[in-house]
Amino acid sequence: MAALQLEKQRGRYAALAIAAVVIVVGIPLWWKTTETYRAWLPFSEISELDSLQVHALRPSSRQNHVCDSIGSAMIYNRVFDKADLSLHMLSESSCGSVVVYVIPESSTLLPEDVKVYVGQRRTALLRSPPFKTSWNLKEVLSNLDVEVEQVVSTMSFGHQDIVAALSNRVRMTKVTKESMADSMRAIKSSPGYEITFSLLNPDPKSHSLHWDIEGAVQSYIQPLLNKLAPIANFSVDSQILYYAVLGVNPRFDNSVSAYTLSADSLSHVINPVEARLGSNAASSNPVLNFLLYVPDAHHSPLFIRDHSKRKVPSNAFHSPRWGGIMVYNVNEMYGPEAERPVDININMAKVMGVFLAQLRLMLGVQHTHPPTGFVLQSPGSAGLADWELDRLLWSRSVENIATASTTITSLAQLLDQIGNIVINDNIAQQVSSAVTSLQSAVAELEAGNLAFALQYSREAILASERAFFDPSLLHLLYFPDDQKFAIYIPLFLPMCVPIVLSLLKIVSEAKKRRADKQAKSD
């Protein structure tokens, strides 16, 4: 009897020991070894990105400072040769700033009907309205507030530029048709772009075309790309495609004795041609295509008409965020008796003038509509004025900040909602780097340091996209809890049933002993 009691006691101790090991060691060890690793993320700083973005959308303190205290100089009657260069040498304005020089109303430096002259750089010449001779300089400048505001709004980043930069991400009201059209044309911000010039010769038996594309790129396109170097990297290539035809058949118009392409048919031109262009599979950068199409002898001359049925002066059109096509007629360069194929040298100055204008639109250089009395100097061979570059730097920085903020915020919401996604240290590092770069970009933008703001905003985009598209985020995304139970129950149930039953038996015996003891005492 004593041996039986000893055996039962030993069994109870064994069951308790096994249960204790399972509860104290097994379950914590299993829980720790199977938990989802989630590195720390700066959720509080991510939640503040919306307010950072709002600050970035405001005009910078530096820009406001320019409006309130513009560096001015009273320039009286003297010869004004090479106006822009002279003004620039007087005061070399830094990136993001505007310097306005005020001349008396009676000055002959500007024609009578010109109120403001805006140069290629960051300077402008303003004709002063009438003022009293007794006024001091401060009173004169305070009387120029309206005119100065017009100059600054023309040359610097404003509300419409914000709308254009964020049109794809933020729903805004009070947007002009011009700004919306500009935003739809511009290709999205990217660290690099590929520019391809293609010559389409559908009739090589009739035309032997020669184009100095290398020299034309160096003369007309490369100066612009050099100026845009702080914004992105550019690669340029060219090709000649033979027997490449348009996707639509032009119609012959008896009234002008020429073939025409209507505006409605232009959308059908690109797809068939694009299949012949090819692509660079080694690069993920967006591609801008510029096509020069020389019609075959049986469809010459060929003219493009707009929606009002009027002939397009440039005989070209562009497709938003894709590129442009120019039709180049050569039928007047030879007679019907000419020996075929006819050697034809293409006027690259004419062609590149069109492509340069289209390239500016594709890269986001917006149309400027100055007030009456303003004269804007042509950007010349550079293809881009300094103040236009500043506006583009602003636009790209704001666009990058908005994009990176949206990406990081979306990622944070996803990780917060789905708790079984692994967050490894690399993702946490990329997220922290993106947040830090965003904060630095906004700070530099508010200070007017456009080059640094763009650099930080690009770093923020790269880091946010690396974190968002990290493959490790998908490992446990579609592994719900019910599947976990389906895996672990067959493993743990056979082991847990005897332990639980033993514990229940021990509890039952303990209750019985307590009841017997209570009965004896009574």
Side-chain angles (χ1 to χ4, degrees), residues 19 34 104 107 133 156 198 200 216 230 243 248 254 261 324 358 417 435 454:
T34 59
S107 175
T133 56
S156 60
S198 303
L200 275 58
Y243 300 103
V248 296
N254 291 319
L261 283 175
Q358 292 178 341
Q417 293 173 0
V435 172
L454 180 64

Side-chain angles (χ1 to χ4, degrees), residues 12 53 76 81 173 187 210 217 271 317 328 364 378 436 520:
R12 289 196 295 268
Q53 186 171 332
Y76 293 93
D81 297 331
T173 57
I187 198 167
H210 306 280
V217 167
N271 287 344
F317 70 97
Y328 190 89
S378 170
T436 302
K520 290 180 179 179

Side-chain angles (χ1 to χ4, degrees), residues 55-64 157-159 162 394 445-446:
H55 287 302
L57 300 183
R58 298 175 181 173
S60 73
S61 57
R62 181 172 183 170
Q63 196 171 21
N64 286 332
F157 191 78
H159 175 73
I162 295 175
W394 267 99
L445 198 60
E446 291 181 336

Side-chain angles (χ1 to χ4, degrees), residues 301-476:
L302 176 61
F303 298 107
I304 299 175
R305 294 187 181 275
D306 58 18
H307 290 284
S308 302
K309 308 300 182 183
R310 293 176 296 187
K311 186 187 299 184
V312 177
S314 63
N315 212 26
F317 70 97
H318 65 270
S319 177
R321 304 182 181 182
W322 183 85
I325 298 179
M326 178 182 181
V327 177
Y328 190 89
N329 292 306
V330 298
N331 57 295
E332 295 182 353
M333 299 182 182
Y334 60 92
E337 305 299 329
E339 183 179 355
R340 307 297 177 91
V342 181
D343 288 327
I344 296 175
N345 292 315
I346 295 176
N347 184 353
M348 298 306 295
K350 176 182 177 181
V351 172
M352 285 299 170
V354 174
F355 285 162
L356 182 61
Q358 292 178 341
L359 178 59
R360 282 168 51 93
L361 293 175
M362 296 295 115
L363 294 176
V365 181
Q366 300 182 18
H367 283 299
T368 301
H369 303 282
T372 304
F374 276 57
V375 173
L376 306 184
Q377 185 180 353
S378 170
S381 59
L384 190 70
D386 287 353
W387 56 270
E388 288 181 312
L389 176 62
D390 292 348
R391 291 178 60 173
L392 192 56
L393 288 170
W394 267 99
S395 176
R396 293 301 191 189
S397 298
V398 170
E399 181 183 357
N400 291 346
I401 290 172
T403 302
S405 299
T406 302
T407 303
I408 288 297
T409 303
S410 300
L411 178 61
Q413 293 175 350
L414 176 68
L415 297 178
D416 186 51
Q417 293 173 0
I418 306 177
N420 59 350
I421 299 182
V422 175
I423 306 177
N424 58 39
D425 294 332
N426 179 57
I427 294 176
Q429 181 182 0
Q430 296 297 339
V431 171
S432 299
S433 175
V435 172
T436 302
S437 297
L438 277 171
Q439 294 170 339
S440 300
V442 172
E444 296 294 346
L445 198 60
E446 291 181 336
N449 301 323
L450 303 184
F452 288 111
L454 180 64
Q455 177 183 347
Y456 284 124
S457 68
R458 290 170 62 179
E459 292 175 358
I461 276 194
L462 294 176
S464 63
E465 290 185 347
R466 281 196 295 264
F468 192 87
F469 295 105
D470 193 292
S472 65
L473 291 177
L474 300 177
H475 285 176
L476 293 179

Side-chain angles (χ1 to χ4, degrees), residues 10-315:
R10 185 181 301 164
R12 289 196 295 268
Y13 288 155
L16 289 174
I18 294 174
V21 171
V22 171
I23 295 174
V24 177
V25 179
I27 292 179
L29 181 62
W30 166 76
W31 186 269
K32 185 65 178 178
T33 55
T34 59
E35 71 174 350
T36 301
Y37 179 75
R38 294 172 66 87
W40 178 85
L41 294 180
F43 285 102
S44 60
E45 296 180 10
I46 294 175
S47 63
E48 297 173 356
L49 290 180
D50 288 339
S51 60
L52 281 179
Q53 186 171 332
V54 170
H55 287 302
L57 300 183
R58 298 175 181 173
S60 73
S61 57
R62 181 172 183 170
Q63 196 171 21
N64 286 332
H65 178 71
V66 171
C67 297
D68 296 335
S69 57
I70 287 191
S72 305
M74 304 301 290
I75 303 179
Y76 293 93
N77 297 331
R78 56 183 175 183
V79 178
F80 193 72
D81 297 331
K82 298 181 180 179
D84 185 53
L85 181 59
S86 300
L87 291 176
H88 178 65
M89 293 178 65
L90 283 174
S91 175
E92 291 194 14
S93 52
S94 59
C95 180
S97 63
V98 175
V99 178
V100 178
Y101 294 91
V102 183
I103 63 173
E105 180 188 14
S106 58
S107 175
T108 58
L109 274 174
L110 297 178
E112 293 182 0
D113 59 338
V114 176
K115 184 171 63 175
V116 173
Y117 169 86
V118 178
Q120 295 181 7
R121 296 170 177 84
R122 301 178 180 91
T123 55
L125 195 64
L126 169 63
R127 185 189 298 277
S128 171
F131 59 88
K132 298 179 181 180
T133 56
S134 59
W135 286 359
N136 56 31
L137 180 60
K138 184 176 181 180
E139 292 173 326
V140 172
L141 293 178
S142 64
N143 193 46
L144 295 173
D145 285 345
V146 176
E147 289 79 6
V148 168
E149 184 65 31
Q150 289 180 332
V151 174
V152 174
S153 62
T154 299
M155 300 178 64
S156 60
F157 191 78
H159 175 73
Q160 294 300 330
D161 301 282
I162 295 175
V163 172
L166 303 181
S167 59
N168 293 338
R169 298 170 176 85
V170 180
R171 181 173 296 179
M172 293 186 175
T173 57
K174 298 182 180 180
V175 53
T176 63
K177 292 183 179 180
E178 292 81 2
S179 296
M180 184 57 66
D182 287 340
S183 66
M184 293 299 293
R185 293 189 191 102
I187 198 167
K188 67 175 184 178
S189 179
S190 173
Y193 300 94
E194 294 186 19
I195 302 175
T196 301
F197 294 97
S198 303
L199 174 61
L200 275 58
N201 185 358
D203 191 9
K205 295 181 179 179
S206 300
H207 304 143
S208 178
L209 305 177
H210 306 280
W211 69 336
D212 183 16
I213 186 61
E214 183 176 355
V217 167
Q218 290 298 323
S219 300
Y220 299 97
I221 303 298
Q222 196 59 48
L224 173 63
L225 303 185
N226 292 340
K227 202 156 191 177
L228 292 173
I231 295 179
N233 298 319
F234 296 89
S235 62
V236 182
D237 56 15
S238 62
Q239 60 183 343
I240 300 178
L241 301 178
Y242 296 99
Y243 300 103
V245 297
L246 300 180
V248 296
N249 293 321
R251 295 182 179 181
F252 186 78
D253 190 342
N254 291 319
S255 62
V256 293
S257 299
Y259 289 88
T260 61
L261 283 175
S262 65
D264 296 331
S265 65
L266 297 180
S267 59
H268 305 288
V269 170
I270 295 178
N271 287 344
V273 175
E274 189 175 24
R276 294 284 308 274
L277 296 179
S279 62
N280 186 358
S283 175
S284 60
N285 293 330
V287 180
L288 293 174
N289 297 284
F290 296 95
L291 279 59
L292 182 63
Y293 179 76
V294 179
D296 60 87
H298 300 291
H299 295 92
S300 296
L302 176 61
F303 298 107
I304 299 175
R305 294 187 181 275
D306 58 18
H307 290 284
S308 302
K309 308 300 182 183
R310 293 176 296 187
K311 186 187 299 184
V312 177
S314 63
N315 212 26

